Amino acid sequence: MKRKGLKGLPMVFVLTTLAIALSGCSGDKKEETSSQITIGIPQDIEESLDPHKAVGAGTEEILFNLFEGLVKPESDGSLIPAVASAYEESEGGRVYTFTLREGVKFHDGSAVTAEDVKYSIDKCADTSNGGPLVEAYSNIESFEIKDASTVVMTLKEADTEFLAYMTTAIIPTANENPDTNPIGTGPYKFVSRSPQENFVVERFEDYWGEPAGIRDVTFRICSNTDSLVMDLEGGSIDMFARVTATQAAELSDRFEILEGTMNLVQAMYLNHEAEIFQDVRVRKALCYAIDPEEIMMMVSDGKGTEIGSSMFPAFGKYYMEELNDTYNQDIEKAKRLLEEAGYANGLSFTITVPSNYQQHIDTAQVLVEQFKAIGVDAKIQLIEWDSWLSDVYQNRDYEATVVGVDASSLTGSSLLRRFTSTAGNNFVNYSNADYDAAFEEGISSTDDARKTKYYKECERILAEDAVNVYIQDLPEFVALNKKYTGYEFYPLYVQDIAKLRLAQ
């Protein structure tokens, strides 16, 4: 049942070695007088445009173009200096010193200062309203402005992965309305927003780095996936990042179909506070009932990479292909487990799925059919993305859901931390003392081999405890009008629009 992915993206871990219809035109290089592109996205971004509050991957991937941290990821998986020009780790990963880059400006024209950096980090470390916005920041002991161009962060405990969390957006202290007036340092700046219609940005001409290739960009909400091919062929949108295999096959040769991976853990996530899923025998029965290979054949013509736990293949040294065989399909064993759990006559539950992600809908439909073989009656409830975020992710009012979970940073911990019992983003309500202990051993270790050992132990626990019904890292098909070039895949769920250029 083991499958290879379409494209292996390298993962470089710095120092030691990651939620959820129309327009048009053309584009060309910076020196051209006319330069624009319209990009379709499956749902509106979140109501708040404050990058520190974003929880949905669809929001984060767009804001990636407006905001930068002290460092930022590259398409090869490395972390490169951004607002900081240099950094240094000392005391075995306990002290991090950053030299701020000269001449970096915010989109409002003001210069980035050390105070802005401190404000941004403190904002994400604040615990006055519960847990910190960035869980890893609970480990910050102190933040010192050494001089106008140098800041020093000292951790309570050494963390050799901490640099990856320095991708946190640096925003100006003076901005009193970050929810509606997003001001960052990225290659694009905010122009306007029409809820449920579009999000418009333009090239930031005073950007410190290589300027964006396209001047004007409109992200157009295309919630009606049935009309997506028509929208692309009709010219109302020039690019859509995640078309289905069927849609890709229907497009004309005016479009290039780029193939990569989504870098997501797609699974049927289970709410462990729901009575039926508190019994591990029920969870295991569901895992034995499914055939990921059949799902991939039905959803994406067999393309994708099977996964057996909460880690996707881009995290090469952590990904455990052998866990894919933890629950090879066994219908009779699944039936026996249900009988032992008191469900000899079957059971029923609802799978809540965001209506704007066709791949997740298609996956849920295949799961429903596969579960019938063991006497399980699963119903699909489609809800809008905003409702999914509030009902499922935030309020945890659901039984099961099919989505893909991304990594918030280039760290293995970003995928595993959410299953610790105290994590604010633990939307499946999982609690296991052994898991918590293994994660703590991994996150606190400064020895790479030891860290890897305990992260893999976390993955084994998630698999063997059937915490979720793990399926795949979905393939990503990007439809790009051949008028444009320069699209690059990342080992994170982002869209780097700044690298697009006119093809001619």
Side-chain angles (χ1 to χ4, degrees):
M1 292 186 65
K2 300 181 180 71
R3 299 186 62 84
K4 297 294 184 182
L6 285 171
K7 181 178 179 182
L9 295 177
M11 176 63 66
V12 178
F13 291 92
V14 180
L15 301 181
T16 63
T17 7
L18 265 278
I20 274 204
L22 304 171
S23 187
C25 251
S26 58
D28 36 25
K29 298 182 180 180
K30 181 179 177 181
E31 61 268 22
E32 304 285 342
T33 57
S34 177
S35 173
Q36 58 186 40
I37 188 172
T38 300
I39 299 170
I41 55 177
Q43 80 284 319
D44 199 358
I45 63 177
E46 294 161 45
E47 183 176 349
S48 171
L49 300 180
D50 184 340
H52 300 154
K53 295 180 180 179
V55 297
T59 297
E60 292 173 345
E61 70 172 349
I62 302 304
L63 296 185
F64 175 83
N65 298 280
L66 278 69
F67 297 96
E68 296 173 314
L70 293 170
V71 299
K72 68 179 186 178
E74 261 292 356
S75 59
D76 65 357
S78 63
L79 292 169
I80 61 173
V83 174
S85 60
Y87 51 85
E88 178 184 356
E89 172 206 344
S90 57
E91 296 187 23
R94 184 167 178 263
V95 178
Y96 290 82
T97 302
F98 296 88
T99 301
L100 303 188
R101 187 183 301 276
E102 290 186 18
V104 179
K105 292 182 179 181
F106 286 116
H107 297 154
D108 63 359
S110 62
V112 175
T113 68
E115 286 74 16
D116 294 316
V117 176
K118 185 176 189 303
Y119 165 74
S120 300
I121 301 301
D122 284 349
K123 180 169 174 281
C124 291
D126 181 44
T127 59
S128 60
N129 294 314
L133 294 176
V134 178
E135 294 279 351
Y137 287 3
S138 61
N139 191 29
I140 297 177
E141 181 177 275
S142 65
F143 186 111
E144 176 190 0
I145 297 178
K146 193 170 182 180
D147 56 47
S149 61
T150 310
V151 299
V152 180
M153 273 171 269
T154 302
L155 308 183
K156 299 172 187 175
E157 296 181 359
D159 181 357
T160 52
E161 291 184 318
F162 188 75
L163 182 70
Y165 292 98
M166 292 294 96
T167 56
T168 294
I170 303 304
I171 65 176
T173 308
N175 184 7
E176 297 180 353
N177 300 297
D179 289 313
T180 57
N181 182 32
I183 299 174
T185 64
Y188 282 101
K189 65 179 182 179
F190 173 69
V191 174
S192 66
R193 177 189 187 181
S194 297
Q196 300 304 321
E197 291 185 16
N198 61 44
F199 183 77
V200 181
V201 300
E202 67 179 10
R203 182 170 56 213
F204 179 40
E205 302 296 349
D206 288 331
Y207 181 56
W208 62 267
E210 182 179 355
I214 305 296
R215 187 189 64 199
D216 300 309
V217 179
T218 297
F219 295 96
R220 180 74 64 174
I221 289 84
C222 301
S223 56
N224 182 5
T225 57
D226 292 336
S227 66
L228 188 56
V229 171
M230 182 175 63
D231 295 338
L232 285 161
E233 291 288 2
S236 59
I237 56 176
D238 303 301
M239 170 183 150
F240 197 89
R242 295 176 186 92
V243 295
T244 65
T246 300
Q247 290 166 336
E250 292 175 355
L251 288 168
S252 69
D253 60 6
R254 294 174 51 238
F255 290 87
E256 181 178 11
I257 304 300
L258 306 165
E259 298 185 14
T261 54
M262 287 195 190
N263 301 303
L264 293 172
V265 176
Q266 190 205 39
M268 186 175 76
Y269 291 90
L270 309 175
N271 186 348
H272 288 240
E273 287 192 351
E275 183 177 355
I276 56 173
F277 299 136
Q278 291 175 8
D279 193 322
V280 68
R281 293 169 297 186
V282 172
R283 303 196 303 268
K284 287 184 176 182
L286 296 178
C287 292
Y288 277 121
I290 77 161
D291 180 357
E293 195 164 312
E294 181 183 25
I295 293 173
M296 288 186 278
M297 286 300 299
M298 298 293 290
V299 174
S300 53
D301 291 340
K303 296 177 179 178
T305 307
E306 183 180 349
I307 55 177
S309 189
S310 283
M311 190 67 62
F312 52 74
F315 287 89
K317 67 177 179 179
Y318 298 137
Y319 174 66
M320 301 174 68
E321 188 177 14
E322 62 268 29
L323 294 181
N324 298 352
D325 290 329
T326 305
Y327 301 101
N328 288 331
Q329 189 179 48
D330 190 327
I331 300 301
E332 294 308 313
K333 184 178 288 187
K335 288 179 178 179
R336 288 197 300 271
L337 284 167
L338 286 182
E339 184 175 358
E340 291 172 11
Y343 296 101
N345 296 321
L347 58 83
S348 62
F349 62 88
T350 299
I351 308 174
T352 304
V353 187
S355 60
N356 55 301
Y357 284 107
Q358 191 61 48
Q359 293 94 331
H360 297 325
I361 297 171
D362 294 343
T363 298
Q365 290 171 340
V366 181
L367 287 173
V368 166
E369 293 304 311
Q370 292 183 345
F371 290 147
K372 287 179 180 178
I374 64 169
V376 169
D377 179 25
K379 305 292 186 184
I380 296 175
Q381 177 190 26
L382 298 181
I383 62 174
E384 294 183 355
W385 178 246
D386 287 346
S387 297
W388 188 93
L389 282 175
S390 61
D391 297 350
V392 176
Y393 189 81
Q394 295 171 344
N395 297 330
R396 305 179 186 181
D397 182 16
Y398 74 104
E399 291 180 301
T401 185
V402 174
V403 290
V405 170
D406 71 319
S408 59
S409 68
L410 290 169
T411 64
S413 62
S414 65
L415 283 167
L416 301 175
R417 187 191 297 271
R418 70 168 60 246
F419 299 106
T420 58
S421 56
T422 59
N425 59 351
N426 181 359
F427 73 101
V428 300
N429 295 305
Y430 181 60
S431 180
N432 182 319
D434 290 339
Y435 183 88
D436 290 350
F439 181 80
E440 183 58 33
E441 289 285 351
I443 195 70
S444 63
S445 178
T446 58
D447 178 74
D448 188 57
R450 182 177 172 84
K451 184 184 293 290
T452 300
K453 171 188 173 182
Y454 280 104
Y455 282 176
K456 287 187 173 182
E457 177 62 21
C458 286
E459 294 171 53
R460 287 191 186 93
I461 293 172
L462 292 175
E464 293 171 2
D465 206 17
V467 176
N468 303 294
V469 181
Y470 293 104
I471 305 169
Q472 66 171 317
D473 180 7
L474 284 157
E476 180 175 2
F477 302 107
V478 177
L480 180 65
N481 191 300
K482 289 182 178 178
K483 293 183 295 184
Y484 307 95
T485 188
Y487 185 89
E488 294 186 12
F489 291 97
Y490 277 64
L492 289 169
Y493 197 92
V494 301
Q495 297 295 328
D496 190 351
I497 306 306
K499 291 184 178 180
L500 293 178
R501 298 287 188 274
L502 191 68
Q504 288 88 349

